[in-house]
Amino acid sequence: MPIPEDVTGEEIDKDVRQELQSLPKTLAEDVAKNLVMVARLIDEDPEGAYGYSRVALRLASRVAAVREAAGFAAYASQKYSEALAEFRAARRMTGNVDLWPVMADCERGLGRPEKALDMAGAPEVHKLDKAGQVEMRLVAAGARRDMGQLDAAIVTLQSPELASGSVQPWTARLRYAYADALLVAGRDSEAREWFAKAVEADRDGSTDASDRLAELDGVEFTDALDESGANDETDGNAETDENAENGDNGVTGESGNADPADKD
């Protein structure tokens, strides 16, 4: 797959670069460039990112960072079985538990919410940092919803992290998930309150909490382009009416006021 000229491979994280040092220099550079493309495309073009991840995987399947990148690219492309296999491989290589929540979410994607819940209660969860534990809570709540257990999903999300007034990287998503669960359960007023709290915490626009809040408040947004087009049409109608009053039928060369020689 083509690599843009501005991609050097130096853009990757230093820890990943260190992992690639086990490879011959030229090979390491090629792998690094493909990993940069995975990171660049994964949000906007998951399939494109997946393609680059497969190239990196073919070149360096024994590098944990490559297996992890391939896992996330497959996950973003909703290839959950493949993603789970790559995450498991990366975990075997490193012994790290950081991928545990996303592995559990892959189980959800494969239609196995019960397995995701089993993973949420596993000893590995206690080894996760705070962000990982919150992520695991989100996955567990999602699994409860998959199983139609709305009340249990709401209870799962109720935690010190949800109640905290401080804003952390996970705060907006946690509040959003709680608001959405409340809304599905028919608790609209509480849902509105938590969507508003999610908006307060969502400093980088990672959720559509503001749109959901506006929807609950009955706010309708008008497309500025459509409105402009309507104004143009109105103006055009007004001009036509004016021309008609002046004896001009609006077709160049067919009125007494327009000279066919001037139509260019």
Side-chain angles (χ1 to χ4, degrees):
M1 296 183 69
I3 304 289
E5 292 183 1
D6 65 316
V7 174
T8 66
E10 294 297 319
E11 301 90 339
I12 62 173
D13 184 85
K14 64 179 182 179
D15 291 336
V16 176
R17 192 180 305 118
Q18 187 172 6
E19 277 193 64
L20 295 180
Q21 288 179 357
S22 62
L23 303 173
K25 183 177 180 182
T26 302
L27 180 58
E29 290 175 353
D30 289 342
V31 173
K33 290 178 181 179
N34 280 280
L35 292 181
V36 170
M37 293 305 299
V38 172
R40 179 178 290 189
L41 296 176
I42 196 164
D43 291 329
E44 301 298 329
D45 181 11
E47 287 296 333
Y50 175 77
Y52 283 103
S53 77
R54 300 308 296 177
V55 175
L57 194 59
R58 187 171 66 248
L59 295 173
S61 62
R62 296 184 179 181
V63 176
V66 172
R67 303 302 290 264
E68 184 174 329
F72 277 110
Y75 177 79
S77 301
Q78 299 183 4
K79 298 175 175 65
Y80 298 116
S81 181
E82 191 172 326
L84 186 57
E86 297 301 339
F87 290 141
R88 284 173 174 167
R91 183 168 179 267
R92 283 195 301 270
M93 292 175 177
T94 64
N96 200 316
V97 298
D98 291 352
L99 295 171
W100 196 252
V102 70
M103 290 169 63
D105 207 38
C106 285
E107 296 287 0
R108 285 186 61 213
L110 291 169
R112 302 193 292 246
E114 298 88 350
K115 178 61 177 176
L117 287 177
D118 287 344
M119 293 179 69
E124 284 82 355
V125 175
H126 300 293
K127 301 177 184 178
L128 295 169
D129 60 14
K130 182 61 68 176
Q133 290 179 6
V134 171
E135 195 66 34
M136 193 71 247
R137 189 177 292 276
L138 288 167
V139 173
R144 292 291 186 189
R145 288 184 60 170
D146 293 343
M147 298 167 67
Q149 302 173 1
L150 288 178
D151 290 340
I154 291 171
V155 172
T156 298
L157 293 169
Q158 292 171 346
S159 62
E161 293 80 19
L162 180 67
S164 174
S166 65
V167 174
Q168 303 295 335
W170 60 79
T171 302
R173 291 179 58 240
L174 184 59
R175 293 177 180 179
Y176 182 96
Y178 188 60
D180 191 53
L182 289 169
L183 187 62
V184 173
R187 295 160 61 174
D188 293 14
S189 60
E190 293 174 84
R192 190 209 173 280
E193 175 187 351
W194 282 97
F195 275 126
K197 290 181 178 181
V199 171
E200 292 174 0
D202 195 1
R203 296 168 179 171
D204 59 359
S206 61
T207 74
D208 64 347
S210 59
D211 293 339
R212 301 292 299 277
L213 182 61
E215 183 180 345
L216 283 174
D217 288 342
V219 176
E220 294 185 6
F221 296 98
T222 301
D223 191 322
L225 293 177
D226 289 345
E227 186 175 317
S228 175
N231 290 337
D232 290 344
E233 183 178 349
T234 302
D235 293 343
N237 290 338
E239 183 177 349
T240 300
D241 293 342
E242 183 179 350
N243 290 338
E245 291 177 1
N246 293 331
D248 186 350
N249 63 8
V251 180
T252 304
E254 293 184 8
S255 74
N257 299 329
D259 186 343
D262 295 334
K263 67 179 180 180
D264 294 332

